[in-house]
Amino acid sequence: MGKNSASITLAGSQLGPTRHVCAFFNSDEEEYRVLLPFIKDGFEHGDKAIHIASSDQHNNHLQRLVGIGIDWISAQRSGQFELRNSVETYLQDGRFDQDRMLHSFEQMASSNARGVFPLSRIVCRMDWAANGQSHIDDLIEFEARVNDVWCRHDDAVICTYRLSKFSGDVVIDIMRTHPMVIVGGILQHNPFFVPPGEFLQEIRARRAG
């Protein structure tokens, strides 16, 4: 985290230099209760807001923003707010390409270099990944690799997972790829986090076996 980076509050705690977070929720109500204060704070501080969700979630998401007083239309016009389609973002050509996504997230982060916004607050709803085991396998590896991107930037990145959509084994692997975790609405340093190099060795050996 840069010396001049502003502090960020999430789920009642301060985010430190490690800002790649996985958040597990049981319902929309729980998810928005935790994330809306973080989202609103970002708009008020002039941060860039990039939200990635499936197309059928967009209307509800925008209504939630309006409900906390965010003029998303003006923010979109100014470039402060982007609402992206998760399938178009993650599954171009119908497949998940790790290298392409690493480049894509690097671009999201590097947009701050122009000085227009202090930093980005990126919220990614990961429901799309529940639709195929091949997506899951690549996603778990990607979530480990993308730590190398976020450790070079001050941006806050929240990956949200609905617990009912993923198996226990997948939840554990996802948790192990994020240095910070929200469970039960509480943000904490993740005691199960495994450094990317070590995790990638383990998971590749597991699959080869």
Side-chain angles (χ1 to χ4, degrees), residues 106-194:
E106 186 71 58
Q107 287 185 313
M108 292 184 204
S110 64
S111 65
N112 300 322
R114 295 194 298 271
V116 178
F117 304 103
L119 52 82
S120 292
R121 301 192 187 205
I122 303 170
V123 177
C124 310
R125 297 191 69 167
M126 307 302 291
D127 297 357
W128 63 269
N131 295 326
Q133 185 60 41
S134 61
H135 298 334
I136 291 291
D137 291 342
D138 284 339
L139 173 64
I140 290 170
E141 189 169 316
F142 167 78
E143 286 278 37
R145 293 178 65 194
V146 79
N147 282 298
D148 291 334
V149 173
W150 299 127
C151 73
R152 299 194 300 271
H153 300 279
D154 295 331
D155 308 284
V157 186
I158 319 301
C159 307
T160 74
Y161 290 86
R162 190 59 47 81
L163 283 167
S164 62
K165 294 181 180 290
F166 298 92
S167 70
D169 288 346
V170 169
V171 168
I172 290 170
D173 275 341
I174 291 296
M175 186 178 294
R176 296 174 72 216
T177 63
H178 291 75
M180 301 294 292
V181 61
I182 295 175
V183 177
I186 298 172
L187 174 71
Q188 55 189 311
H189 287 278
N190 184 4
F192 302 105
F193 174 66
V194 178

Side-chain angles (χ1 to χ4, degrees), residues 51-71:
H51 300 167
I52 304 173
S54 64
S55 58
D56 62 350
Q57 295 166 337
H58 282 197
N59 286 340
N60 177 53
H61 187 74
L62 294 173
Q63 290 171 8
R64 301 274 186 170
L65 298 186
V66 170
I68 57 172
I70 293 173
D71 182 354

Side-chain angles (χ1 to χ4, degrees), residues 36-49 80 121:
L36 282 177
F38 161 81
I39 291 171
K40 184 177 182 179
D41 183 65
F43 276 99
E44 291 175 347
H45 280 84
D47 295 336
K48 175 90 173 185
Q80 185 184 14
R121 301 192 187 205

